[in-house]
Amino acid sequence: MLKKNETDEIINLLKESYPEPICALEYKKDYELLFATRLAAQCTDARVNTVTPILFERYPTLEAIAEADISEIEQIVHPCGFYRTKAKDIVEAAIMILAKFGGKVPDTMEELLTLPGVGRKTANLILGDIYNKPAVVVDTHCIRLSNRIGFVDTKDPVKIETALKKVLPPEESSDFCHRLVLHGRAVCTARSPACERCPLLRVCKRVGM
């Protein structure tokens, strides 16, 4: 486990390298981010961003999605893979948000996890990006970098989330995870991390993994 001063240095170095910790998924409404994140499972954000404009133009409201023919949703989201399950989850989640939450995506982990297709990663993204609450989004980049840098020694998402919550300032946690994604794509890639140009080189515990 990293020391506090090392954690603080990593946070600051990532801030300097990635001053704008934005979500790669494009959205305008709370439920659009929710559904985009569902589509992003086992799919790239770039591909999702080509599909969601078509989906949300065809079904411009939550009510329209709730009333949609699932087979039509399937056709639109087909490029994202696992389209049958994803289309079903999207329609059923829209119905539930309208019926149980007054048409607004809920703002607690417990309520978010009751929605079809929503796990902790999606719930944390909603809490952090929509509601500005402390949240740790554990995606593939977070898993890889948290292990390489030395925050954890596990691939278990829940254990990683718990470990990061203990060391990250709550107000920094959501942005920190976005910066990990940006860093994981630009420098610390899965197959060939560019350690020679990594701003975290002097504090990384497992250089070259």
Side-chain angles (χ1 to χ4, degrees), residues 14 22 27 39 52 59-60 63 66 69 75 77 83 85 87-88 91 107-108 116 128-129 158 165 194 196:
L14 287 174
I22 58 174
Y27 67 96
L39 292 175
T52 49
Y59 302 99
E63 289 80 3
D69 186 321
Q75 292 177 19
V77 305
Y83 61 95
T85 301
K88 182 173 180 290
V91 172
D107 63 352
T108 68
D129 279 42
V158 176
K165 280 183 176 178
E196 70 282 355

PDB file of all heavy atoms in Angstrom, residues 14 22 27 39 52 59-60 63 66 69 75 77 83 85 87-88 91 107-108 116 128-129 158 165 194 196:
ATOM      1  N   LEU A  14      -1.241  13.425 -11.723  1.00  0.00           N
ATOM      2  CA  LEU A  14      -2.310  13.148 -12.688  1.00  0.00           C
ATOM      3  C   LEU A  14      -3.104  14.411 -12.996  1.00  0.00           C
ATOM      4  O   LEU A  14      -3.537  14.626 -14.131  1.00  0.00           O
ATOM      5  CB  LEU A  14      -3.236  12.052 -12.153  1.00  0.00           C
ATOM      6  CG  LEU A  14      -2.657  10.632 -12.158  1.00  0.00           C
ATOM      7  CD1 LEU A  14      -3.623   9.659 -11.472  1.00  0.00           C
ATOM      8  CD2 LEU A  14      -2.381  10.152 -13.585  1.00  0.00           C
ATOM      9  N   ILE A  22     -12.645  14.434 -17.863  1.00  0.00           N
ATOM     10  CA  ILE A  22     -13.992  14.267 -18.388  1.00  0.00           C
ATOM     11  C   ILE A  22     -14.308  12.809 -18.657  1.00  0.00           C
ATOM     12  O   ILE A  22     -13.440  11.984 -18.914  1.00  0.00           O
ATOM     13  CB  ILE A  22     -14.181  15.074 -19.690  1.00  0.00           C
ATOM     14  CG1 ILE A  22     -13.144  14.634 -20.738  1.00  0.00           C
ATOM     15  CG2 ILE A  22     -14.065  16.568 -19.415  1.00  0.00           C
ATOM     16  CD1 ILE A  22     -13.345  15.258 -22.094  1.00  0.00           C
ATOM     17  N   TYR A  27     -23.202  12.516 -23.326  1.00  0.00           N
ATOM     18  CA  TYR A  27     -24.588  12.497 -22.846  1.00  0.00           C
ATOM     19  C   TYR A  27     -25.044  13.915 -22.534  1.00  0.00           C
ATOM     20  O   TYR A  27     -24.222  14.816 -22.347  1.00  0.00           O
ATOM     21  CB  TYR A  27     -24.714  11.622 -21.600  1.00  0.00           C
ATOM     22  CG  TYR A  27     -23.991  12.187 -20.388  1.00  0.00           C
ATOM     23  CD1 TYR A  27     -24.657  12.948 -19.436  1.00  0.00           C
ATOM     24  CD2 TYR A  27     -22.625  11.974 -20.212  1.00  0.00           C
ATOM     25  CE1 TYR A  27     -23.997  13.474 -18.342  1.00  0.00           C
ATOM     26  CE2 TYR A  27     -21.953  12.509 -19.127  1.00  0.00           C
ATOM     27  CZ  TYR A  27     -22.643  13.246 -18.191  1.00  0.00           C
ATOM     28  OH  TYR A  27     -21.979  13.787 -17.112  1.00  0.00           O
ATOM     29  N   LEU A  39     -24.398   0.273 -22.310  1.00  0.00           N
ATOM     30  CA  LEU A  39     -23.959  -0.137 -23.644  1.00  0.00           C
ATOM     31  C   LEU A  39     -22.449  -0.319 -23.701  1.00  0.00           C
ATOM     32  O   LEU A  39     -21.932  -1.094 -24.512  1.00  0.00           O
ATOM     33  CB  LEU A  39     -24.389   0.897 -24.684  1.00  0.00           C
ATOM     34  CG  LEU A  39     -25.899   1.014 -24.937  1.00  0.00           C
ATOM     35  CD1 LEU A  39     -26.180   2.169 -25.895  1.00  0.00           C
ATOM     36  CD2 LEU A  39     -26.458  -0.288 -25.488  1.00  0.00           C
ATOM     37  N   THR A  52     -25.327   5.992 -29.419  1.00  0.00           N
ATOM     38  CA  THR A  52     -26.279   6.722 -28.576  1.00  0.00           C
ATOM     39  C   THR A  52     -26.955   7.911 -29.267  1.00  0.00           C
ATOM     40  O   THR A  52     -28.139   8.160 -28.993  1.00  0.00           O
ATOM     41  CB  THR A  52     -25.606   7.182 -27.265  1.00  0.00           C
ATOM     42  OG1 THR A  52     -24.352   7.828 -27.559  1.00  0.00           O
ATOM     43  CG2 THR A  52     -25.364   5.995 -26.348  1.00  0.00           C
ATOM     44  N   TYR A  59     -35.556   7.969 -29.807  1.00  0.00           N
ATOM     45  CA  TYR A  59     -36.349   7.948 -28.570  1.00  0.00           C
ATOM     46  C   TYR A  59     -35.879   9.101 -27.691  1.00  0.00           C
ATOM     47  O   TYR A  59     -35.009   8.924 -26.826  1.00  0.00           O
ATOM     48  CB  TYR A  59     -36.189   6.606 -27.851  1.00  0.00           C
ATOM     49  CG  TYR A  59     -36.583   5.423 -28.700  1.00  0.00           C
ATOM     50  CD1 TYR A  59     -35.619   4.669 -29.367  1.00  0.00           C
ATOM     51  CD2 TYR A  59     -37.924   5.063 -28.862  1.00  0.00           C
ATOM     52  CE1 TYR A  59     -35.980   3.586 -30.161  1.00  0.00           C
ATOM     53  CE2 TYR A  59     -38.291   3.981 -29.653  1.00  0.00           C
ATOM     54  CZ  TYR A  59     -37.309   3.256 -30.301  1.00  0.00           C
ATOM     55  OH  TYR A  59     -37.666   2.187 -31.093  1.00  0.00           O
ATOM     56  N   PRO A  60     -36.414  10.297 -27.888  1.00  0.00           N
ATOM     57  CA  PRO A  60     -35.869  11.504 -27.253  1.00  0.00           C
ATOM     58  C   PRO A  60     -36.243  11.711 -25.788  1.00  0.00           C
ATOM     59  O   PRO A  60     -35.736  12.640 -25.158  1.00  0.00           O
ATOM     60  CB  PRO A  60     -36.443  12.628 -28.121  1.00  0.00           C
ATOM     61  CG  PRO A  60     -37.728  12.070 -28.645  1.00  0.00           C
ATOM     62  CD  PRO A  60     -37.482  10.607 -28.862  1.00  0.00           C
ATOM     63  N   GLU A  63     -39.795   8.449 -21.436  1.00  0.00           N
ATOM     64  CA  GLU A  63     -41.085   7.802 -21.700  1.00  0.00           C
ATOM     65  C   GLU A  63     -41.062   7.060 -23.029  1.00  0.00           C
ATOM     66  O   GLU A  63     -41.605   5.946 -23.146  1.00  0.00           O
ATOM     67  CB  GLU A  63     -42.206   8.850 -21.716  1.00  0.00           C
ATOM     68  CG  GLU A  63     -42.550   9.438 -20.353  1.00  0.00           C
ATOM     69  CD  GLU A  63     -41.571  10.524 -19.907  1.00  0.00           C
ATOM     70  OE1 GLU A  63     -40.648  10.870 -20.677  1.00  0.00           O
ATOM     71  OE2 GLU A  63     -41.746  11.023 -18.781  1.00  0.00           O
ATOM     72  N   ALA A  66     -39.198   3.851 -22.570  1.00  0.00           N
ATOM     73  CA  ALA A  66     -39.989   2.900 -21.784  1.00  0.00           C
ATOM     74  C   ALA A  66     -41.079   2.239 -22.625  1.00  0.00           C
ATOM     75  O   ALA A  66     -41.450   1.079 -22.373  1.00  0.00           O
ATOM     76  CB  ALA A  66     -40.602   3.598 -20.576  1.00  0.00           C
ATOM     77  N   ASP A  69     -40.470  -0.647 -28.563  1.00  0.00           N
ATOM     78  CA  ASP A  69     -40.405  -2.067 -28.887  1.00  0.00           C
ATOM     79  C   ASP A  69     -38.948  -2.505 -28.696  1.00  0.00           C
ATOM     80  O   ASP A  69     -38.039  -1.937 -29.315  1.00  0.00           O
ATOM     81  CB  ASP A  69     -40.835  -2.277 -30.338  1.00  0.00           C
ATOM     82  CG  ASP A  69     -40.937  -3.744 -30.710  1.00  0.00           C
ATOM     83  OD1 ASP A  69     -40.076  -4.528 -30.264  1.00  0.00           O
ATOM     84  OD2 ASP A  69     -41.859  -4.113 -31.457  1.00  0.00           O
ATOM     85  N   GLN A  75     -31.998  -3.422 -32.606  1.00  0.00           N
ATOM     86  CA  GLN A  75     -31.411  -3.095 -33.904  1.00  0.00           C
ATOM     87  C   GLN A  75     -30.444  -1.913 -33.803  1.00  0.00           C
ATOM     88  O   GLN A  75     -29.381  -1.904 -34.442  1.00  0.00           O
ATOM     89  CB  GLN A  75     -32.524  -2.785 -34.914  1.00  0.00           C
ATOM     90  CG  GLN A  75     -33.380  -3.996 -35.276  1.00  0.00           C
ATOM     91  CD  GLN A  75     -34.506  -3.623 -36.228  1.00  0.00           C
ATOM     92  OE1 GLN A  75     -34.466  -2.584 -36.876  1.00  0.00           O
ATOM     93  NE2 GLN A  75     -35.519  -4.468 -36.303  1.00  0.00           N
ATOM     94  N   VAL A  77     -28.807  -0.807 -31.013  1.00  0.00           N
ATOM     95  CA  VAL A  77     -27.642  -1.028 -30.147  1.00  0.00           C
ATOM     96  C   VAL A  77     -26.840  -2.263 -30.554  1.00  0.00           C
ATOM     97  O   VAL A  77     -25.845  -2.604 -29.904  1.00  0.00           O
ATOM     98  CB  VAL A  77     -28.058  -1.136 -28.660  1.00  0.00           C
ATOM     99  CG1 VAL A  77     -28.851   0.099 -28.247  1.00  0.00           C
ATOM    100  CG2 VAL A  77     -28.857  -2.405 -28.392  1.00  0.00           C
ATOM    101  N   TYR A  83     -26.513  -7.243 -27.555  1.00  0.00           N
ATOM    102  CA  TYR A  83     -27.564  -6.253 -27.799  1.00  0.00           C
ATOM    103  C   TYR A  83     -28.919  -6.647 -27.218  1.00  0.00           C
ATOM    104  O   TYR A  83     -29.704  -5.786 -26.836  1.00  0.00           O
ATOM    105  CB  TYR A  83     -27.679  -5.974 -29.298  1.00  0.00           C
ATOM    106  CG  TYR A  83     -28.052  -7.171 -30.147  1.00  0.00           C
ATOM    107  CD1 TYR A  83     -29.371  -7.417 -30.488  1.00  0.00           C
ATOM    108  CD2 TYR A  83     -27.073  -8.057 -30.601  1.00  0.00           C
ATOM    109  CE1 TYR A  83     -29.717  -8.522 -31.260  1.00  0.00           C
ATOM    110  CE2 TYR A  83     -27.404  -9.148 -31.371  1.00  0.00           C
ATOM    111  CZ  TYR A  83     -28.730  -9.384 -31.697  1.00  0.00           C
ATOM    112  OH  TYR A  83     -29.070 -10.474 -32.451  1.00  0.00           O
ATOM    113  N   THR A  85     -29.615  -8.401 -24.408  1.00  0.00           N
ATOM    114  CA  THR A  85     -29.620  -8.140 -22.968  1.00  0.00           C
ATOM    115  C   THR A  85     -29.580  -6.643 -22.688  1.00  0.00           C
ATOM    116  O   THR A  85     -30.304  -6.136 -21.822  1.00  0.00           O
ATOM    117  CB  THR A  85     -28.409  -8.816 -22.298  1.00  0.00           C
ATOM    118  OG1 THR A  85     -28.470 -10.221 -22.530  1.00  0.00           O
ATOM    119  CG2 THR A  85     -28.396  -8.559 -20.800  1.00  0.00           C
ATOM    120  N   ALA A  87     -30.555  -4.114 -24.636  1.00  0.00           N
ATOM    121  CA  ALA A  87     -31.816  -3.469 -25.018  1.00  0.00           C
ATOM    122  C   ALA A  87     -32.888  -3.723 -23.969  1.00  0.00           C
ATOM    123  O   ALA A  87     -33.643  -2.812 -23.585  1.00  0.00           O
ATOM    124  CB  ALA A  87     -32.269  -3.983 -26.381  1.00  0.00           C
ATOM    125  N   LYS A  88     -32.967  -4.944 -23.491  1.00  0.00           N
ATOM    126  CA  LYS A  88     -33.948  -5.306 -22.465  1.00  0.00           C
ATOM    127  C   LYS A  88     -33.697  -4.520 -21.181  1.00  0.00           C
ATOM    128  O   LYS A  88     -34.638  -3.981 -20.573  1.00  0.00           O
ATOM    129  CB  LYS A  88     -33.875  -6.807 -22.194  1.00  0.00           C
ATOM    130  CG  LYS A  88     -34.881  -7.340 -21.180  1.00  0.00           C
ATOM    131  CD  LYS A  88     -34.800  -8.864 -21.135  1.00  0.00           C
ATOM    132  CE  LYS A  88     -35.792  -9.451 -20.132  1.00  0.00           C
ATOM    133  NZ  LYS A  88     -35.391  -9.152 -18.727  1.00  0.00           N
ATOM    134  N   VAL A  91     -34.757  -0.713 -21.627  1.00  0.00           N
ATOM    135  CA  VAL A  91     -36.210  -0.495 -21.594  1.00  0.00           C
ATOM    136  C   VAL A  91     -36.752  -0.722 -20.189  1.00  0.00           C
ATOM    137  O   VAL A  91     -37.545   0.081 -19.673  1.00  0.00           O
ATOM    138  CB  VAL A  91     -36.920  -1.402 -22.612  1.00  0.00           C
ATOM    139  CG1 VAL A  91     -38.441  -1.307 -22.434  1.00  0.00           C
ATOM    140  CG2 VAL A  91     -36.532  -1.017 -24.035  1.00  0.00           C
ATOM    141  N   ASP A 107     -30.170   8.713  -6.790  1.00  0.00           N
ATOM    142  CA  ASP A 107     -28.873   9.273  -6.412  1.00  0.00           C
ATOM    143  C   ASP A 107     -28.220   8.554  -5.236  1.00  0.00           C
ATOM    144  O   ASP A 107     -27.362   9.109  -4.546  1.00  0.00           O
ATOM    145  CB  ASP A 107     -29.008  10.758  -6.095  1.00  0.00           C
ATOM    146  CG  ASP A 107     -29.918  11.020  -4.896  1.00  0.00           C
ATOM    147  OD1 ASP A 107     -30.560  10.065  -4.406  1.00  0.00           O
ATOM    148  OD2 ASP A 107     -29.990  12.188  -4.459  1.00  0.00           O
ATOM    149  N   THR A 108     -28.613   7.300  -5.004  1.00  0.00           N
ATOM    150  CA  THR A 108     -27.951   6.507  -3.969  1.00  0.00           C
ATOM    151  C   THR A 108     -27.500   5.183  -4.573  1.00  0.00           C
ATOM    152  O   THR A 108     -28.113   4.680  -5.521  1.00  0.00           O
ATOM    153  CB  THR A 108     -28.873   6.209  -2.775  1.00  0.00           C
ATOM    154  OG1 THR A 108     -29.926   5.318  -3.188  1.00  0.00           O
ATOM    155  CG2 THR A 108     -29.481   7.490  -2.214  1.00  0.00           C
ATOM    156  N   PRO A 116     -32.197  -2.582 -13.570  1.00  0.00           N
ATOM    157  CA  PRO A 116     -31.693  -3.673 -14.410  1.00  0.00           C
ATOM    158  C   PRO A 116     -30.374  -3.310 -15.092  1.00  0.00           C
ATOM    159  O   PRO A 116     -30.229  -2.220 -15.650  1.00  0.00           O
ATOM    160  CB  PRO A 116     -32.807  -3.855 -15.449  1.00  0.00           C
ATOM    161  CG  PRO A 116     -34.041  -3.343 -14.787  1.00  0.00           C
ATOM    162  CD  PRO A 116     -33.580  -2.200 -13.931  1.00  0.00           C
ATOM    163  N   GLY A 128     -20.861  10.002  -9.197  1.00  0.00           N
ATOM    164  CA  GLY A 128     -19.791  10.979  -9.340  1.00  0.00           C
ATOM    165  C   GLY A 128     -20.063  12.035 -10.385  1.00  0.00           C
ATOM    166  O   GLY A 128     -19.891  13.232 -10.136  1.00  0.00           O
ATOM    167  N   ASP A 129     -20.526  11.609 -11.578  1.00  0.00           N
ATOM    168  CA  ASP A 129     -20.657  12.544 -12.699  1.00  0.00           C
ATOM    169  C   ASP A 129     -21.975  13.308 -12.703  1.00  0.00           C
ATOM    170  O   ASP A 129     -22.021  14.465 -13.131  1.00  0.00           O
ATOM    171  CB  ASP A 129     -20.495  11.791 -14.019  1.00  0.00           C
ATOM    172  CG  ASP A 129     -19.033  11.554 -14.352  1.00  0.00           C
ATOM    173  OD1 ASP A 129     -18.276  11.209 -13.420  1.00  0.00           O
ATOM    174  OD2 ASP A 129     -18.638  11.705 -15.513  1.00  0.00           O
ATOM    175  N   VAL A 158     -14.547  -4.865  -6.116  1.00  0.00           N
ATOM    176  CA  VAL A 158     -15.073  -4.361  -4.846  1.00  0.00           C
ATOM    177  C   VAL A 158     -13.936  -4.085  -3.870  1.00  0.00           C
ATOM    178  O   VAL A 158     -13.934  -3.066  -3.161  1.00  0.00           O
ATOM    179  CB  VAL A 158     -16.091  -5.353  -4.235  1.00  0.00           C
ATOM    180  CG1 VAL A 158     -16.549  -4.861  -2.864  1.00  0.00           C
ATOM    181  CG2 VAL A 158     -17.290  -5.524  -5.149  1.00  0.00           C
ATOM    182  N   LYS A 165     -11.074   4.021  -1.703  1.00  0.00           N
ATOM    183  CA  LYS A 165     -11.873   4.914  -0.860  1.00  0.00           C
ATOM    184  C   LYS A 165     -11.132   5.269   0.426  1.00  0.00           C
ATOM    185  O   LYS A 165     -11.315   6.355   0.980  1.00  0.00           O
ATOM    186  CB  LYS A 165     -13.220   4.274  -0.531  1.00  0.00           C
ATOM    187  CG  LYS A 165     -14.251   4.384  -1.634  1.00  0.00           C
ATOM    188  CD  LYS A 165     -15.583   3.784  -1.195  1.00  0.00           C
ATOM    189  CE  LYS A 165     -16.649   3.975  -2.260  1.00  0.00           C
ATOM    190  NZ  LYS A 165     -17.945   3.355  -1.865  1.00  0.00           N
ATOM    191  N   ALA A 194       4.142   2.812 -21.530  1.00  0.00           N
ATOM    192  CA  ALA A 194       5.270   3.671 -21.892  1.00  0.00           C
ATOM    193  C   ALA A 194       5.881   4.275 -20.635  1.00  0.00           C
ATOM    194  O   ALA A 194       5.769   5.475 -20.365  1.00  0.00           O
ATOM    195  CB  ALA A 194       4.807   4.749 -22.862  1.00  0.00           C
ATOM    196  N   GLU A 196       8.803   5.029 -19.847  1.00  0.00           N
ATOM    197  CA  GLU A 196       9.852   6.035 -20.034  1.00  0.00           C
ATOM    198  C   GLU A 196       9.292   7.452 -20.107  1.00  0.00           C
ATOM    199  O   GLU A 196      10.009   8.426 -19.861  1.00  0.00           O
ATOM    200  CB  GLU A 196      10.659   5.729 -21.310  1.00  0.00           C
ATOM    201  CG  GLU A 196       9.915   5.940 -22.619  1.00  0.00           C
ATOM    202  CD  GLU A 196       8.938   4.840 -22.990  1.00  0.00           C
ATOM    203  OE1 GLU A 196       8.891   3.830 -22.256  1.00  0.00           O
ATOM    204  OE2 GLU A 196       8.231   4.992 -24.008  1.00  0.00           O
TER     205      GLU A 196
END
